[in-house]
Amino acid sequence: MTRTRVRDLAEATGAEVVLKGWLYNRRSSKKFHFLLLRDGSGIVQCVVNRDEFDEQQFTEIGKIPYESAIEICGIANSDDRAPGGVEIHANSVECLCIAEEYPISKQEHGPDFLLSHRHLWLRSRKQVALMHIRDEVIRTIRDEMHARGFTCIDAPIFTPTACEGTSTLFEVDYFEDEKAYLTQSGQLYMEAAAMALGDVYCLGPTFRAEKSKTRRHLTEFWMFEPEMAFADLDDVMSLIEGLLSRIVERVLEHCREELEVLERDIEKLEKVQSPFPRITYTEAVERMNAEGHSFEWGGDLGAPDESVISSWYDSPVLVHRYPEEVKAFYMKRDPQDSRLAMGVDVLAPEGYGEIIGGGQREDDLDSLVGRIQEHGLSEEDFRWYLDLRRYGSVPHGGFGLGVERTICWLSGVDHVRECVPFPRMLYRIYP
Ligand code: 4AD
Ligand code: MG
């Protein structure tokens, strides 16, 4: 008999099935063992009736340690009270691998303990739910980009230059006569690719030597970065809105159970509706000050400021046209006001902060050279990047979506470290 996945049990009601997985939990009474089998696709209760097993077998089933690998044959009965609507009436229970005493118990553990046992913690219900949501988010991005005619272009991980400031660079000591770094962003390469293929994107790991330990910072995180030729800031904002709405829609559609496991307030997600609010940096500063949250025009928004701004809305808010000093060298200046950069940040609702940063790129050679000098960067290092402005430069733009921060908001968890399978942070490289 072939094995059935827990997620497919609803279609197998009334039939005999074989399940393979791990013992997640057990309750026992005199007459029954109620075994929870998990197989990654779901968890199902299997009822072992003493009358149908011999005495010794029944006793042994009651002693199988948690997280042992097990195989259960039985009848799939539909049962409204059971999660997923199915319960297994077990005919046989076989232990495939007896587990040693499992270090993670059902009681609360501190985050350090759990992170040190991430390889096992990943098996727990909430972590499995988070990984399913992560998978759905990434799949939605790829589906949506494909539907919109974008080509996936993988960006290199080793790079000779900084993209997002030099303070968070990871240096790699390997390449002869040349400094190399782990990439902070694939953007510059996507700009080259956009001039070759039109609309492109990359989705991969990026690295920042963040000195701060916060709920929102990883040193290795995944970024989705689309880039469009013949596009301005408005086009970038439209793509952001279309994509984020679709992500929310698909997670609500396909990850209901996961959101319930995570005790996410689903109503909050259902309130996310396009069109999303758009507000300039200057308007945001004025409103903050008017409401008594004092903020001086010109500075970058910090986490508390972002929380204030996002609290005005139910949907993600697009804050655009920041002072150029707080933004990267590649941003185009606003033709209406040269103090401003044509950049946009997206702040997630409920105080989850910035999940997207992007904008329109400087496409004029001389302005870009000037900007590189102002930022104290080496023109020589950016020779290839400047070539893009020499050979058929066109208006273009794109953005970077932080995958973990987006999942963090959608799932309603406190910390981005749970939104990536194996988090890397200032004090965390194991396991
Ligand atoms: O705003 P950032 O730095 O923008 C860029 O890197 C652009 N080059 C992207 C582009 O236009 N193609 O980063 C983009 C997003 C942030 O909004 C945030 O969601 C995420 O990446 N991010 C981080 N996520 C987790 N940990 C960190 N240390 C992060 N730094 C940025
Ligand atoms: Mg940013």
Side-chain angles (χ1 to χ4, degrees), residues 153-198:
I153 297 287
D154 301 310
I157 304 285
F158 292 133
T159 60
T161 49
C163 178
E164 297 299 321
T166 47
S167 67
T168 61
L169 280 174
F170 271 109
E171 201 170 322
V172 179
D173 181 18
Y174 170 78
F175 297 89
E176 284 199 6
D177 308 326
E178 228 173 319
K179 282 204 188 262
Y181 311 96
L182 297 179
T183 187
Q184 294 171 306
S185 156
Q187 179 196 321
L188 307 186
Y189 297 94
M190 290 306 104
E191 290 184 53
M195 300 305 136
L197 294 116

Side-chain angles (χ1 to χ4, degrees), residues 88-138:
I88 306 298
H89 179 113
N91 296 331
S92 73
V93 176
E94 195 188 335
C95 191
L96 306 174
C97 175
I98 299 177
E100 291 179 24
E101 195 185 338
Y102 198 60
I104 301 180
S105 55
K106 302 289 177 250
Q107 105 234 0
E108 289 277 307
H109 292 283
D112 263 337
F113 177 89
L114 290 172
L115 285 166
S116 294
H117 292 83
R118 182 60 172 168
H119 51 297
L120 302 177
W121 184 29
L122 212 45
R123 302 179 181 195
S124 76
R125 207 170 211 163
K126 286 193 175 178
Q127 300 308 311
V128 167
L130 279 163
M131 292 305 114
H132 282 154
I133 292 174
R134 184 182 170 97
D135 177 56
E136 185 67 30
V137 167
I138 291 175

Side-chain angles (χ1 to χ4, degrees), residues 208-225:
R208 306 268 169 106
E210 301 284 0
K211 308 296 184 294
S212 52
K213 246 181 101 175
T214 79
R215 302 188 288 127
R216 295 181 189 169
H217 289 93
L218 295 163
T219 51
E220 179 182 301
F221 63 98
W222 284 60
M223 205 178 351
F224 158 62
E225 297 184 87

Side-chain angles (χ1 to χ4, degrees), residues 38-284:
R38 62 160 194 91
D39 73 349
S41 77
I43 296 181
V44 66
Q45 175 160 284
C46 307
V47 183
V48 179
N49 186 338
R50 173 176 225 144
D51 297 342
E52 296 164 19
F53 285 75
D54 72 50
E55 195 63 35
Q56 194 197 344
Q57 250 183 336
F58 187 81
T59 312
E60 272 167 16
I61 293 170
K63 289 183 191 159
I64 299 175
Y66 292 140
E67 289 304 321
S68 296
I70 52 174
E71 178 173 332
I72 295 182
C73 292
I75 306 294
N77 291 325
S78 70
D79 182 334
D80 289 343
R81 290 160 309 170
V86 181
E87 191 178 77
I88 306 298
H89 179 113
N91 296 331
S92 73
V93 176
E94 195 188 335
C95 191
L96 306 174
C97 175
I98 299 177
E100 291 179 24
E101 195 185 338
Y102 198 60
I104 301 180
S105 55
K106 302 289 177 250
Q107 105 234 0
E108 289 277 307
H109 292 283
D112 263 337
F113 177 89
L114 290 172
L115 285 166
S116 294
H117 292 83
R118 182 60 172 168
H119 51 297
L120 302 177
W121 184 29
L122 212 45
R123 302 179 181 195
S124 76
R125 207 170 211 163
K126 286 193 175 178
Q127 300 308 311
V128 167
L130 279 163
M131 292 305 114
H132 282 154
I133 292 174
R134 184 182 170 97
D135 177 56
E136 185 67 30
V137 167
I138 291 175
R139 208 142 24 84
T140 304
I141 289 172
R142 292 202 184 276
D143 289 349
E144 192 62 18
M145 285 298 104
H146 181 71
R148 289 171 184 255
F150 282 61
T151 305
C152 173
I153 297 287
D154 301 310
I157 304 285
F158 292 133
T159 60
T161 49
C163 178
E164 297 299 321
T166 47
S167 67
T168 61
L169 280 174
F170 271 109
E171 201 170 322
V172 179
D173 181 18
Y174 170 78
F175 297 89
E176 284 199 6
D177 308 326
E178 228 173 319
K179 282 204 188 262
Y181 311 96
L182 297 179
T183 187
Q184 294 171 306
S185 156
Q187 179 196 321
L188 307 186
Y189 297 94
M190 290 306 104
E191 290 184 53
M195 300 305 136
L197 294 116
D199 294 338
V200 297
Y201 74 94
C202 62
L203 203 173
T206 49
F207 306 85
R208 306 268 169 106
E210 301 284 0
K211 308 296 184 294
S212 52
K213 246 181 101 175
T214 79
R215 302 188 288 127
R216 295 181 189 169
H217 289 93
L218 295 163
T219 51
E220 179 182 301
F221 63 98
W222 284 60
M223 205 178 351
F224 158 62
E225 297 184 87
E227 191 72 28
M228 300 176 285
F230 301 102
D232 61 13
L233 180 60
D234 283 335
D235 297 317
V236 171
M237 294 202 279
S238 300
L239 180 63
I240 289 175
E241 188 175 273
L243 184 81
L244 276 183
S245 324
R246 192 72 193 111
I247 291 176
V248 173
E249 218 174 85
R250 285 253 311 240
V251 166
L252 280 172
E253 194 181 320
H254 295 155
C255 302
R256 282 266 152 182
E257 271 175 41
E258 285 80 359
L259 292 171
E260 277 160 24
V261 166
L262 293 162
E263 294 165 49
R264 178 67 166 114
D265 182 349
I266 292 174
E267 261 176 44
K268 290 244 163 65
L269 288 182
E270 284 169 340
K271 282 192 186 151
V272 174
Q273 296 289 344
S274 58
F276 293 168
R278 296 180 189 188
I279 182 174
T280 66
Y281 167 92
T282 304
E283 287 165 347

